[in-house]
């Protein structure tokens, strides 16, 4: 099969981890006889510097024409200290999600047996943790209008808005994943306070009737935040709105022991995008110390969800797991000797080549 992949490395450590993603994609494609073409585009602060726009039209065209998009990271400290900056790198990410119609963000949370000591949680809580957060990505308070400031600047407002259709399409997708997994689905909302949450609950109850084989439950987001730490192995598929999903997935990432381990896939109406859940980690940029595993595992998700190639995805995951077991790790997960970003990528590529 021929694969056209757009590469948007973005800011900070994005370019370094992307290099390893490309290395791994190339060897997997070679092993399985796929032809792969890459084309690079600008996004984030890197794009603002060159074009003034964090998601230039040219980048959008590139993504629309690609079979899949690999995305590094976005963000730069120069904007974080300036709340009044007119253009921000993050707007590029939000514009990309919206324009590509990426309504579902899949964030799997899992642990590596040999890294359990890295997690701040006690070992016995971590066994059998394997859940999938399905986060709505192009609605809710992130995009609702009106949003802004009053004329005198003394009042600010955001709008949280969801339609029945927006909720139904993602909840239905989440039930589909639950059917392929452990047949449990949890809706996370704040239905005791928010009108949007009550609509989410109503729609989820309706959709659940089409999936009698799935055990469905409902949790308020504050309680869910607690349960994720107290009893993470109870979850299978969690489905939730945009901002709750943003917050809960950062929280859930500590279970794995490092933010540098978790991948994500954003799927929807046009091309799908695969990106690590970590940010641009500017302190590490250019130092060859960033953990490439989240990016490499995002490549595995690309093979699985972007190209329906489960064997290829499985081999990448096996290689990553082997690297962790062999203690080939960047400083965030190293036990003993530390490896560079490139060392880890090369080790994994070598494993795949020889598998
Ligand atoms: C994420 C990030 C983004 C979000 C930011 C960078 C806009 O935190 O992908 O989780 O809030 O969605
Ligand atoms: Mg986030």
């Amino acid at each position: 099969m021929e694969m056209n992949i757009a590469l948007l490395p973005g800011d900070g450590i994005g370019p370094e981890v992307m290099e390893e993603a490309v290395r791994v994609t190339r060897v997997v494609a070679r092993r399985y006889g796929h032809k792969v073409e890459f084309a690079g585009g600008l996004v984030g602060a890197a794009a603002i510097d060159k074009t003034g726009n964090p998601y230039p039209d040219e980048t959008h065209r590139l993504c629309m024409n690609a079979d899949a998009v690999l995305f590094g990271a976005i963000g730069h400290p120069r904007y974080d200290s300036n709340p009044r900056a007119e253009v921000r790198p993050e707007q590029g990410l939000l514009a990309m999600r919206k324009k590509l119609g990426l309504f579902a963000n899949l964030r799997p949370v899992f642990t590596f047996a040999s890294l359990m000591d890295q997690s701040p949680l006690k070992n016995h809580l971590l066994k059998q943790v394997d859940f999938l957060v399905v986060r709505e990505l192009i609605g809710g308070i992130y995009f609702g209008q009106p949003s802004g400031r009053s004329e005198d600047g003394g009042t600010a407002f955001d709008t949280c808005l969801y339609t029945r259709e927006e909720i139904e399409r993602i909840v239905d997708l989440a039930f589909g994943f639950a059917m392929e997994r452990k047949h449990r689905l949890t809706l996370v909302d704040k239905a005791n306070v928010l009108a949007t949450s009550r609509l989410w609950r109503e729609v989820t109850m309706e959709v659940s009737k089409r999936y009698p084989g799935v055990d469905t439950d409902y949790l308020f987001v504050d309680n869910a935040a607690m349960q994720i730490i107290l009893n993470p192995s109870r979850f299978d598929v969690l489905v939730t709105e945009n901002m709750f999903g943003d917050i809960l997935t950062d929280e859930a990432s500590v279970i794995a022991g490092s933010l540098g381990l978790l991948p994500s896939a954003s799927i929807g109406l046009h091309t799908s995008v695969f990106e690590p859940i970590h940010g641009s980690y500017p302190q590490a940029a250019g130092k060859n110390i960033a953990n490439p595993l989240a990016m490499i595992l995002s490549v595995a998700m690309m093979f699985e969800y972007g190209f329906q190639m489960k064997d290829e995805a499985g081999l990448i995951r096996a290689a990553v797991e082997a690297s962790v077991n062999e203690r080939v790790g960047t400083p965030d997960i190293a036990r003993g000797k530390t490896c560079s970003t490139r060392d880890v990528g090369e080790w994994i590529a070598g494993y795949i080549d020889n598998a």
Side-chain angles (χ1 to χ4, degrees), residues 153-175:
T155 307
F157 45 91
D158 296 290
T159 301
C160 187
L161 187 147
Y162 273 108
T163 65
R164 181 170 276 281
E165 291 69 32
E166 285 172 320
I167 299 168
E168 185 167 353
R169 68 181 172 187
I170 187 154
V171 168
D172 191 63
L173 188 81
F175 270 106

Side-chain angles (χ1 to χ4, degrees), residues 44-45 48 54 79-92:
I48 299 176
Y79 299 90
D80 294 338
S81 50
N82 177 9
R84 288 185 177 255
E86 295 260 310
V87 198
R88 311 179 59 83
E90 290 80 2
Q91 289 165 345

